Amino acid sequence: MARRKFATLKSFLNYIGVEGDRTIFTWVSASEGDRWAQVIKGATEKIKALGPAKKMVKTIG
Amino acid sequence: MAHKNSQKRVKPEDRKKKVIGVVARGCTTRSLIIHLQERQYERDDVCIIGVPCDGYVDGKGLKVKIGGADIVEGTVDGGQLKMKTSDGDKTVALKDVLAECCLTCRFNNPIISDVMIGSPAPAMNPDAEYNDVKEFEAKSIEERWAYFIKEMEKCIRCNACRQACPSCYCPTCFVEQSQPQWVGIGEDKTDTQVFQFMRLYHMVGRCVDCGSCVSVCPMGVDLRKFLKKIDKDCFEMFSNRAGSSMEDMPPLGKYDEHHDKQDFIYNP
Ligand code: SF4
Ligand code: SF4
Ligand code: SF4
């Protein structure tokens, strides 16, 4: 079940040191335009507050 | 059981090679249950000879304890391990050299079997099984990340952990399978972190804490620190202990609308 995968993934990432706030999961129905906008706005704010992700990022070259 | 043989895990492909009799201690039966839940073979295809288990010795830890001497011969006498070594006779208390997974094992007696040998083994100390994880959870996020990368830096990508793991039975691992190859197979630091993270994460509801990966790792990577967290979460979130009951379904294959927590869901 996707939801259980997300719950455990978020917790495990946080455990190894990747901020839990970076793993964002929610439901939005196709008919919920306003909510969709709200979710994206909220998620963007959360991520901006954390700054760029540097963990487990590969630099090539 | 000689240490070397005790590390030989049962994998689904062994069954296809017509290995149909399995001598199994507690954690082996958990692996078998996982294989059965994951429909790798049928219950009738294996005859399980259950053996109660008192734990196995952590060979690397023992070697350190006896100052690096080579062991020529050893016997267990009461709670003592008596050895003839290249550095004379040595005796250590068994409880001081058992593998970590055995010290806190909850299922040292076989869960399923067709034939049982011997009488049930005394309980180990399962109450302490998450002590290490709780201590780690209490650290700051930066300390936890620092520890993760420090451990992963030791890893040489030999894949021994994956080979030894009874739950890692995919004929082709995700690492070698994906196109394009998102996770490199070399020793790049990030690739290693991602590979390890994903392999560990594949153990949700599937790691039976047999300690095989830990015991075969030539670099002493602290894999159990991470695996036990997965086990703890799985129990706390879904009341599931991997391979502990034939009646259970794999925890990631179902959902309990009354008991599953909602707190991971983002609700702006
Ligand atoms: S991850 Fe390690 S301890 Fe867990 S089942 Fe696999 S080999 Fe055993
Ligand atoms: S890490 Fe995952 S994909 Fe790779 S062998 Fe293990 S279970 Fe299979
Ligand atoms: S056995 Fe150890 S060194 Fe080898 S791949 Fe696994 S963690 Fe890395």
XYZ file of all heavy atoms in Angstrom, chain B residues 154-162 195-196 213 216-221 223, ligand 3:
151
model
N 32.581 3.275 4.744
C 33.355 2.038 4.912
C 33.021 1.023 3.824
O 33.796 0.131 3.533
C 32.993 1.370 6.244
C 33.346 2.123 7.496
C 32.996 1.210 8.670
C 32.856 1.967 9.967
N 32.177 1.140 10.979
N 31.821 1.141 3.264
C 31.305 0.121 2.346
C 32.097 0.094 1.039
O 32.338 1.119 0.418
C 29.832 0.389 2.068
S 29.107 -0.701 0.838
N 32.492 -1.116 0.611
C 33.244 -1.255 -0.641
C 32.383 -1.846 -1.765
O 32.898 -2.287 -2.788
C 34.503 -2.127 -0.437
C 34.118 -3.477 0.170
C 35.544 -1.407 0.432
C 35.246 -4.500 0.205
N 31.080 -1.900 -1.540
C 30.131 -2.409 -2.547
C 30.475 -3.831 -2.999
O 30.390 -4.156 -4.195
C 30.052 -1.483 -3.760
C 29.559 -0.086 -3.457
C 28.119 -0.060 -2.994
N 27.148 -0.513 -3.959
C 26.631 0.239 -4.920
N 27.006 1.478 -5.039
N 25.735 -0.242 -5.738
N 30.839 -4.659 -2.067
C 31.155 -6.038 -2.437
C 29.882 -6.863 -2.605
O 29.914 -7.968 -3.130
C 32.046 -6.680 -1.376
S 31.220 -6.913 0.200
N 28.766 -6.322 -2.117
C 27.455 -6.988 -2.205
C 27.330 -8.264 -1.389
O 26.394 -9.039 -1.587
C 27.071 -7.289 -3.666
C 26.727 -6.020 -4.410
O 26.291 -5.028 -3.808
N 26.933 -6.010 -5.709
N 28.253 -8.488 -0.481
C 28.149 -9.694 0.351
C 26.876 -9.663 1.192
O 26.215 -10.687 1.377
C 29.372 -9.823 1.260
N 26.508 -8.467 1.667
C 25.283 -8.353 2.484
C 24.075 -8.799 1.664
O 23.227 -9.546 2.141
C 25.102 -6.923 2.997
S 25.279 -5.646 1.745
N 24.030 -8.364 0.441
C 22.911 -8.688 -0.427
C 22.900 -10.189 -0.759
O 21.852 -10.833 -0.784
C 23.057 -7.865 -1.714
C 21.884 -7.905 -2.620
C 22.086 -6.958 -3.785
N 22.951 -7.536 -4.814
C 23.326 -6.886 -5.916
N 22.934 -5.629 -6.107
N 24.088 -7.454 -6.810
N 22.321 3.151 -2.664
C 22.151 1.697 -2.718
C 21.817 1.150 -1.336
O 20.854 0.405 -1.152
C 23.412 0.995 -3.241
C 23.436 -0.489 -2.926
C 22.483 -1.339 -3.476
C 24.374 -1.024 -2.053
C 22.471 -2.698 -3.167
C 24.365 -2.382 -1.732
C 23.412 -3.219 -2.295
N 22.606 1.530 -0.354
C 22.386 1.006 0.984
C 21.033 1.426 1.511
O 20.303 0.626 2.096
C 23.499 1.483 1.932
C 24.827 0.800 1.685
C 24.819 -0.658 2.110
O 23.861 -1.153 2.663
N 25.911 -1.355 1.847
N 23.834 -10.392 7.087
C 24.485 -9.277 6.388
C 25.604 -8.701 7.255
O 26.697 -8.411 6.774
C 23.472 -8.199 6.025
S 22.469 -7.626 7.404
N 28.637 -11.169 7.434
C 29.489 -11.333 6.250
C 30.192 -10.042 5.823
O 31.125 -10.088 5.024
C 28.737 -11.876 5.009
C 28.217 -13.276 5.275
C 27.622 -10.936 4.588
N 29.764 -8.914 6.333
C 30.348 -7.649 5.861
C 31.827 -7.551 6.238
O 32.176 -7.577 7.405
C 29.588 -6.461 6.447
S 30.343 -4.888 5.995
N 32.692 -7.454 5.229
C 34.127 -7.423 5.531
C 34.571 -6.092 6.140
O 35.667 -6.000 6.688
C 34.771 -7.631 4.158
C 33.781 -7.099 3.191
C 32.430 -7.382 3.779
N 33.736 -5.070 6.040
C 34.137 -3.750 6.489
C 33.503 -3.331 7.813
O 33.717 -2.224 8.292
C 33.803 -2.697 5.412
C 34.356 -3.002 4.037
S 36.108 -3.425 4.048
C 36.824 -1.821 4.402
N 32.711 -4.210 8.382
C 32.093 -3.900 9.671
C 31.124 -2.735 9.632
O 31.028 -1.954 10.580
N 30.380 -2.625 8.529
C 29.376 -1.554 8.442
C 28.238 -1.879 9.428
O 27.771 -3.005 9.495
C 28.820 -1.444 6.996
C 27.756 -0.364 6.918
C 29.951 -1.155 6.012
N 25.114 -2.164 9.849
C 23.838 -2.259 9.134
C 22.666 -2.418 10.091
O 21.562 -1.957 9.843
C 23.874 -3.451 8.163
C 24.943 -3.373 7.065
C 25.120 -4.728 6.396
C 24.559 -2.325 6.023
S 28.890 -6.462 2.880
Fe 29.552 -4.526 3.817
S 31.115 -3.703 2.457
Fe 30.012 -5.289 1.303
S 28.382 -4.170 0.206
Fe 27.490 -4.882 2.150
S 27.801 -3.177 3.592
Fe 29.161 -2.826 1.830
